[in-house]
mmCIF file of all heavy atoms in Angstrom:
data_model
loop_
_atom_site.group_PDB
_atom_site.id
_atom_site.type_symbol
_atom_site.label_atom_id
_atom_site.label_comp_id
_atom_site.label_asym_id
_atom_site.label_seq_id
_atom_site.Cartn_x
_atom_site.Cartn_y
_atom_site.Cartn_z
ATOM 1 N N GLN E 625 86.220 -101.106 70.052
ATOM 2 C CA GLN E 625 86.958 -101.252 68.796
ATOM 3 C C GLN E 625 87.966 -100.121 68.625
ATOM 4 O O GLN E 625 89.127 -100.349 68.276
ATOM 5 C CB GLN E 625 85.984 -101.271 67.615
ATOM 6 C CG GLN E 625 85.177 -102.563 67.525
ATOM 7 C CD GLN E 625 84.088 -102.501 66.484
ATOM 8 O OE1 GLN E 625 83.644 -101.416 66.094
ATOM 9 N NE2 GLN E 625 83.640 -103.658 66.031
ATOM 10 N N ALA E 626 87.511 -98.896 68.863
ATOM 11 C CA ALA E 626 88.402 -97.738 68.692
ATOM 12 C C ALA E 626 89.554 -97.795 69.695
ATOM 13 O O ALA E 626 90.701 -97.461 69.362
ATOM 14 C CB ALA E 626 87.603 -96.447 68.849
ATOM 15 N N THR E 627 89.265 -98.230 70.911
ATOM 16 C CA THR E 627 90.315 -98.331 71.927
ATOM 17 C C THR E 627 91.378 -99.342 71.500
ATOM 18 O O THR E 627 92.584 -99.082 71.593
ATOM 19 C CB THR E 627 89.692 -98.777 73.278
ATOM 20 O OG1 THR E 627 88.688 -97.830 73.643
ATOM 21 C CG2 THR E 627 90.750 -98.845 74.367
ATOM 22 N N ALA E 628 90.926 -100.494 71.016
ATOM 23 C CA ALA E 628 91.873 -101.546 70.620
ATOM 24 C C ALA E 628 92.711 -101.110 69.430
ATOM 25 O O ALA E 628 93.923 -101.328 69.392
ATOM 26 C CB ALA E 628 91.099 -102.824 70.284
ATOM 27 N N ARG E 629 92.064 -100.485 68.458
ATOM 28 C CA ARG E 629 92.817 -100.044 67.268
ATOM 29 C C ARG E 629 93.797 -98.939 67.636
ATOM 30 O O ARG E 629 94.950 -98.933 67.175
ATOM 31 C CB ARG E 629 91.843 -99.550 66.190
ATOM 32 C CG ARG E 629 91.024 -100.655 65.573
ATOM 33 C CD ARG E 629 90.123 -100.115 64.467
ATOM 34 N NE ARG E 629 89.237 -101.155 63.976
ATOM 35 C CZ ARG E 629 87.905 -101.043 63.916
ATOM 36 N NH1 ARG E 629 87.314 -99.931 64.298
ATOM 37 N NH2 ARG E 629 87.177 -102.035 63.445
ATOM 38 N N ALA E 630 93.354 -98.007 68.458
ATOM 39 C CA ALA E 630 94.246 -96.908 68.862
ATOM 40 C C ALA E 630 95.456 -97.462 69.621
ATOM 41 O O ALA E 630 96.588 -97.006 69.402
ATOM 42 C CB ALA E 630 93.485 -95.910 69.737
ATOM 43 N N ALA E 631 95.215 -98.449 70.470
ATOM 44 C CA ALA E 631 96.326 -99.033 71.244
ATOM 45 C C ALA E 631 97.328 -99.709 70.308
ATOM 46 O O ALA E 631 98.546 -99.572 70.477
ATOM 47 C CB ALA E 631 95.782 -100.044 72.255
ATOM 48 N N LEU E 632 96.811 -100.419 69.323
ATOM 49 C CA LEU E 632 97.721 -101.080 68.377
ATOM 50 C C LEU E 632 98.540 -100.040 67.609
ATOM 51 O O LEU E 632 99.761 -100.159 67.491
ATOM 52 C CB LEU E 632 96.927 -101.947 67.388
ATOM 53 C CG LEU E 632 97.797 -102.599 66.303
ATOM 54 C CD1 LEU E 632 98.703 -103.684 66.900
ATOM 55 C CD2 LEU E 632 96.951 -103.215 65.201
ATOM 56 N N TYR E 633 97.865 -99.017 67.108
ATOM 57 C CA TYR E 633 98.583 -98.008 66.321
ATOM 58 C C TYR E 633 99.585 -97.232 67.180
ATOM 59 O O TYR E 633 100.648 -96.852 66.701
ATOM 60 C CB TYR E 633 97.592 -97.060 65.644
ATOM 61 C CG TYR E 633 96.889 -97.686 64.462
ATOM 62 C CD1 TYR E 633 95.508 -97.605 64.328
ATOM 63 C CD2 TYR E 633 97.600 -98.364 63.484
ATOM 64 C CE1 TYR E 633 94.864 -98.191 63.242
ATOM 65 C CE2 TYR E 633 96.966 -98.944 62.402
ATOM 66 C CZ TYR E 633 95.599 -98.855 62.281
ATOM 67 O OH TYR E 633 94.972 -99.431 61.208
ATOM 68 N N ASP E 634 99.229 -97.006 68.436
ATOM 69 C CA ASP E 634 100.194 -96.356 69.337
ATOM 70 C C ASP E 634 101.429 -97.223 69.495
ATOM 71 O O ASP E 634 102.561 -96.748 69.432
ATOM 72 C CB ASP E 634 99.560 -96.089 70.707
ATOM 73 C CG ASP E 634 98.709 -94.825 70.715
ATOM 74 O OD1 ASP E 634 98.797 -94.056 69.728
ATOM 75 O OD2 ASP E 634 97.961 -94.614 71.678
ATOM 76 N N GLU E 635 101.188 -98.508 69.708
ATOM 77 C CA GLU E 635 102.305 -99.437 69.888
ATOM 78 C C GLU E 635 103.178 -99.491 68.632
ATOM 79 O O GLU E 635 104.404 -99.582 68.717
ATOM 80 C CB GLU E 635 101.740 -100.832 70.200
ATOM 81 C CG GLU E 635 102.807 -101.863 70.500
ATOM 82 C CD GLU E 635 102.241 -103.281 70.422
ATOM 83 O OE1 GLU E 635 101.041 -103.461 70.680
ATOM 84 O OE2 GLU E 635 103.014 -104.197 70.086
ATOM 85 N N LEU E 636 102.550 -99.425 67.467
ATOM 86 C CA LEU E 636 103.293 -99.490 66.204
ATOM 87 C C LEU E 636 103.845 -98.122 65.785
ATOM 88 O O LEU E 636 104.426 -98.012 64.708
ATOM 89 C CB LEU E 636 102.390 -100.041 65.091
ATOM 90 C CG LEU E 636 101.793 -101.439 65.301
ATOM 91 C CD1 LEU E 636 100.922 -101.838 64.111
ATOM 92 C CD2 LEU E 636 102.885 -102.470 65.520
ATOM 93 N N GLU E 637 103.653 -97.131 66.622
ATOM 94 C CA GLU E 637 104.098 -95.757 66.321
ATOM 95 C C GLU E 637 103.523 -95.262 64.987
ATOM 96 O O GLU E 637 104.248 -94.817 64.107
ATOM 97 C CB GLU E 637 105.623 -95.673 66.322
ATOM 98 C CG GLU E 637 106.220 -95.994 67.693
ATOM 99 C CD GLU E 637 107.719 -95.754 67.745
ATOM 100 O OE1 GLU E 637 108.132 -94.589 67.612
ATOM 101 O OE2 GLU E 637 108.449 -96.728 67.929
ATOM 102 N N GLU E 638 102.211 -95.411 64.887
ATOM 103 C CA GLU E 638 101.467 -94.935 63.715
ATOM 104 C C GLU E 638 100.461 -93.882 64.184
ATOM 105 O O GLU E 638 99.249 -94.135 64.194
ATOM 106 C CB GLU E 638 100.729 -96.107 63.035
ATOM 107 C CG GLU E 638 101.605 -97.156 62.412
ATOM 108 C CD GLU E 638 102.029 -96.791 60.991
ATOM 109 O OE1 GLU E 638 101.574 -95.749 60.476
ATOM 110 O OE2 GLU E 638 102.826 -97.546 60.421
ATOM 111 N N PRO E 639 100.938 -92.692 64.565
ATOM 112 C CA PRO E 639 100.016 -91.721 65.171
ATOM 113 C C PRO E 639 98.915 -91.225 64.234
ATOM 114 O O PRO E 639 97.814 -90.914 64.694
ATOM 115 C CB PRO E 639 100.944 -90.565 65.571
ATOM 116 C CG PRO E 639 102.155 -90.722 64.725
ATOM 117 C CD PRO E 639 102.315 -92.196 64.479
ATOM 118 N N VAL E 640 99.201 -91.176 62.941
ATOM 119 C CA VAL E 640 98.164 -90.659 62.027
ATOM 120 C C VAL E 640 97.047 -91.687 61.873
ATOM 121 O O VAL E 640 95.864 -91.348 61.901
ATOM 122 C CB VAL E 640 98.775 -90.279 60.664
ATOM 123 C CG1 VAL E 640 97.701 -89.723 59.734
ATOM 124 C CG2 VAL E 640 99.885 -89.252 60.863
ATOM 125 N N ARG E 641 97.431 -92.952 61.761
ATOM 126 C CA ARG E 641 96.396 -93.995 61.664
ATOM 127 C C ARG E 641 95.636 -94.146 62.988
ATOM 128 O O ARG E 641 94.482 -94.579 62.993
ATOM 129 C CB ARG E 641 97.016 -95.320 61.223
ATOM 130 C CG ARG E 641 97.354 -95.291 59.743
ATOM 131 C CD ARG E 641 97.783 -96.604 59.193
ATOM 132 N NE ARG E 641 97.918 -96.508 57.741
ATOM 133 C CZ ARG E 641 96.984 -96.861 56.865
ATOM 134 N NH1 ARG E 641 95.852 -97.357 57.298
ATOM 135 N NH2 ARG E 641 97.168 -96.724 55.571
ATOM 136 N N ALA E 642 96.291 -93.783 64.081
ATOM 137 C CA ALA E 642 95.582 -93.812 65.373
ATOM 138 C C ALA E 642 94.601 -92.645 65.472
ATOM 139 O O ALA E 642 93.669 -92.681 66.290
ATOM 140 C CB ALA E 642 96.583 -93.749 66.525
ATOM 141 N N GLY E 643 94.801 -91.623 64.647
ATOM 142 C CA GLY E 643 93.998 -90.391 64.726
ATOM 143 C C GLY E 643 92.503 -90.605 64.704
ATOM 144 O O GLY E 643 91.787 -90.142 65.607
ATOM 145 N N PRO E 644 91.956 -91.313 63.692
ATOM 146 C CA PRO E 644 90.502 -91.472 63.655
ATOM 147 C C PRO E 644 89.957 -92.247 64.853
ATOM 148 O O PRO E 644 88.855 -91.973 65.320
ATOM 149 C CB PRO E 644 90.264 -92.246 62.345
ATOM 150 C CG PRO E 644 91.584 -92.813 61.949
ATOM 151 C CD PRO E 644 92.617 -91.902 62.515
ATOM 152 N N GLU E 645 90.751 -93.187 65.347
ATOM 153 C CA GLU E 645 90.293 -93.977 66.495
ATOM 154 C C GLU E 645 90.183 -93.075 67.738
ATOM 155 O O GLU E 645 89.212 -93.153 68.490
ATOM 156 C CB GLU E 645 91.257 -95.139 66.772
ATOM 157 C CG GLU E 645 91.625 -95.971 65.540
ATOM 158 C CD GLU E 645 90.427 -96.512 64.780
ATOM 159 O OE1 GLU E 645 89.373 -96.706 65.404
ATOM 160 O OE2 GLU E 645 90.541 -96.706 63.544
ATOM 161 N N LYS E 646 91.183 -92.213 67.908
ATOM 162 C CA LYS E 646 91.142 -91.310 69.060
ATOM 163 C C LYS E 646 90.036 -90.265 68.899
ATOM 164 O O LYS E 646 89.434 -89.835 69.891
ATOM 165 C CB LYS E 646 92.516 -90.660 69.247
ATOM 166 C CG LYS E 646 93.553 -91.693 69.667
ATOM 167 C CD LYS E 646 94.925 -91.113 69.898
ATOM 168 C CE LYS E 646 95.856 -92.235 70.367
ATOM 169 N NZ LYS E 646 97.234 -91.790 70.566
ATOM 170 N N ALA E 647 89.809 -89.871 67.647
ATOM 171 C CA ALA E 647 88.723 -88.911 67.406
ATOM 172 C C ALA E 647 87.368 -89.545 67.742
ATOM 173 O O ALA E 647 86.475 -88.880 68.279
ATOM 174 C CB ALA E 647 88.750 -88.441 65.955
ATOM 175 N N VAL E 648 87.224 -90.823 67.427
ATOM 176 C CA VAL E 648 85.975 -91.527 67.755
ATOM 177 C C VAL E 648 85.809 -91.593 69.275
ATOM 178 O O VAL E 648 84.722 -91.338 69.810
ATOM 179 C CB VAL E 648 85.973 -92.953 67.141
ATOM 180 C CG1 VAL E 648 84.861 -93.804 67.749
ATOM 181 C CG2 VAL E 648 85.804 -92.877 65.628
ATOM 182 N N LEU E 649 86.904 -91.896 69.973
ATOM 183 C CA LEU E 649 86.822 -91.971 71.437
ATOM 184 C C LEU E 649 86.457 -90.603 72.030
ATOM 185 O O LEU E 649 85.648 -90.516 72.960
ATOM 186 C CB LEU E 649 88.145 -92.476 72.013
ATOM 187 C CG LEU E 649 88.485 -93.933 71.674
ATOM 188 C CD1 LEU E 649 89.869 -94.313 72.166
ATOM 189 C CD2 LEU E 649 87.436 -94.877 72.268
ATOM 190 N N ALA E 650 87.051 -89.548 71.459
ATOM 191 C CA ALA E 650 86.732 -88.196 71.938
ATOM 192 C C ALA E 650 85.256 -87.883 71.685
ATOM 193 O O ALA E 650 84.576 -87.276 72.518
ATOM 194 C CB ALA E 650 87.626 -87.175 71.243
ATOM 195 N N LEU E 651 84.772 -88.326 70.532
ATOM 196 C CA LEU E 651 83.350 -88.111 70.200
ATOM 197 C C LEU E 651 82.451 -88.805 71.224
ATOM 198 O O LEU E 651 81.487 -88.207 71.724
ATOM 199 C CB LEU E 651 83.077 -88.665 68.803
ATOM 200 C CG LEU E 651 81.610 -88.728 68.386
ATOM 201 C CD1 LEU E 651 81.137 -87.345 67.964
ATOM 202 C CD2 LEU E 651 81.399 -89.720 67.244
ATOM 203 N N LEU E 652 82.789 -90.044 71.551
ATOM 204 C CA LEU E 652 81.945 -90.800 72.487
ATOM 205 C C LEU E 652 81.976 -90.177 73.877
ATOM 206 O O LEU E 652 80.995 -90.264 74.627
ATOM 207 C CB LEU E 652 82.403 -92.266 72.556
ATOM 208 C CG LEU E 652 82.320 -93.057 71.248
ATOM 209 C CD1 LEU E 652 82.730 -94.505 71.470
ATOM 210 C CD2 LEU E 652 80.919 -93.003 70.640
ATOM 211 N N ASP E 653 83.112 -89.550 74.213
ATOM 212 C CA ASP E 653 83.203 -88.897 75.522
ATOM 213 C C ASP E 653 82.415 -87.589 75.578
ATOM 214 O O ASP E 653 82.048 -87.118 76.654
ATOM 215 C CB ASP E 653 84.676 -88.607 75.858
ATOM 216 C CG ASP E 653 85.418 -89.889 76.222
ATOM 217 O OD1 ASP E 653 84.742 -90.874 76.538
ATOM 218 O OD2 ASP E 653 86.657 -89.898 76.166
ATOM 219 N N SER E 654 82.214 -86.998 74.383
ATOM 220 C CA SER E 654 81.617 -85.660 74.389
ATOM 221 C C SER E 654 80.149 -85.647 73.987
ATOM 222 O O SER E 654 79.492 -84.623 74.081
ATOM 223 C CB SER E 654 82.404 -84.755 73.435
ATOM 224 O OG SER E 654 82.288 -85.247 72.120
ATOM 225 N N ARG E 655 79.659 -86.764 73.483
ATOM 226 C CA ARG E 655 78.284 -86.741 72.974
ATOM 227 C C ARG E 655 77.542 -88.014 73.365
ATOM 228 O O ARG E 655 78.110 -89.106 73.267
ATOM 229 C CB ARG E 655 78.351 -86.614 71.433
ATOM 230 C CG ARG E 655 77.014 -86.522 70.761
ATOM 231 C CD ARG E 655 77.173 -86.251 69.269
ATOM 232 N NE ARG E 655 76.003 -86.682 68.555
ATOM 233 C CZ ARG E 655 75.916 -86.762 67.225
ATOM 234 N NH1 ARG E 655 76.949 -86.420 66.476
ATOM 235 N NH2 ARG E 655 74.805 -87.167 66.648
ATOM 236 N N ALA E 656 76.311 -87.838 73.799
ATOM 237 C CA ALA E 656 75.495 -89.002 74.143
ATOM 238 C C ALA E 656 74.640 -89.361 72.926
ATOM 239 O O ALA E 656 74.017 -88.476 72.327
ATOM 240 C CB ALA E 656 74.608 -88.677 75.329
ATOM 241 N N PHE E 657 74.626 -90.608 72.577
ATOM 242 C CA PHE E 657 73.855 -91.043 71.409
ATOM 243 C C PHE E 657 72.567 -91.729 71.868
ATOM 244 O O PHE E 657 72.590 -92.531 72.806
ATOM 245 C CB PHE E 657 74.683 -91.995 70.551
ATOM 246 C CG PHE E 657 75.769 -91.287 69.790
ATOM 247 C CD1 PHE E 657 77.035 -91.148 70.339
ATOM 248 C CD2 PHE E 657 75.520 -90.731 68.543
ATOM 249 C CE1 PHE E 657 78.024 -90.478 69.660
ATOM 250 C CE2 PHE E 657 76.505 -90.053 67.852
ATOM 251 C CZ PHE E 657 77.766 -89.930 68.411
#
Side-chain angles (χ1 to χ4, degrees):
Chain E
Q625 288 172 338
T627 302
R629 290 183 186 126
L632 176 69
Y633 285 131
D634 279 348
E635 184 196 331
L636 301 180
E637 297 187 65
E638 294 275 356
V640 181
R641 285 188 173 264
E645 311 306 333
K646 293 181 178 177
V648 166
L649 293 174
L651 171 79
L652 298 183
D653 287 342
S654 63
R655 182 174 157 190
F657 287 91

